[in-house]
Amino acid sequence: MADFLWTIYLGLLATASLAFLIKGKYKTKLSKIDFVVSIIPWIGLFGYVTETAILNPAAWKIIGVAAFVWDLTFTMLLKGYEGEEILDEMPVLARRIWMLATFAVMVGPLYYGLFRYAFG
């Protein structure tokens, strides 16, 4: 059952990203870089889900930490959610907490699986 849920999660991540790509949502250079950087951890998660050795664990340790730092930095600092209507009336601290919680829910499983792949 767990493998099935991991496969669904992996599919949802890929589908959402491809939909954003097709709709042209990656408009800035940073968002395009983020898309490319995001592909690498997905490959690691794919290896974890399918129990396939892709690269060696040392490479995934480095990739996992670097991708996590990039994702967190991109989400919290670079993306600039300040102008979105849903967050307009929230104080800055509440926005950051909301963004961090959303980040944990959406990509937390990705990094959990990636770290299990690298360190497990």
Side-chain angles (χ1 to χ4, degrees):
M1 180 65 159
D3 291 339
F4 179 71
L5 293 176
W6 278 112
T7 304
I8 289 173
Y9 177 73
L10 189 60
L12 288 173
L13 279 179
T15 303
S17 294
L18 288 175
F20 268 62
L21 182 66
I22 291 170
K23 290 184 178 186
K25 299 288 184 178
Y26 298 112
K27 294 179 182 176
T28 65
K29 286 183 183 181
L30 278 178
S31 63
K32 290 174 185 174
I33 291 170
D34 180 57
F35 177 72
V36 172
V37 169
S38 296
I39 291 171
I40 298 166
W42 300 338
I43 293 169
L45 185 63
F46 177 78
Y48 174 70
V49 170
T50 61
E51 298 177 2
T52 305
I54 303 170
L55 300 177
N56 61 22
W60 288 113
K61 289 173 185 171
I62 295 167
I63 291 168
V65 170
F68 179 77
V69 168
W70 167 262
D71 254 352
L72 190 60
T73 303
F74 184 74
T75 299
M76 298 302 289
L77 302 175
L78 301 177
K79 207 168 188 181
Y81 288 110
E82 312 303 328
E84 288 190 13
E85 291 178 24
I86 193 167
L87 302 176
D88 236 2
E89 297 176 11
M90 293 177 100
V92 174
L93 181 61
R95 269 186 233 165
R96 297 293 183 213
I97 292 170
W98 179 254
M99 290 163 58
L100 188 59
T102 303
F103 175 80
V105 169
M106 299 302 287
V107 295
L110 168 68
Y111 288 106
Y112 173 76
L114 188 60
F115 285 116
R116 297 257 336 239
Y117 188 54
F119 293 97

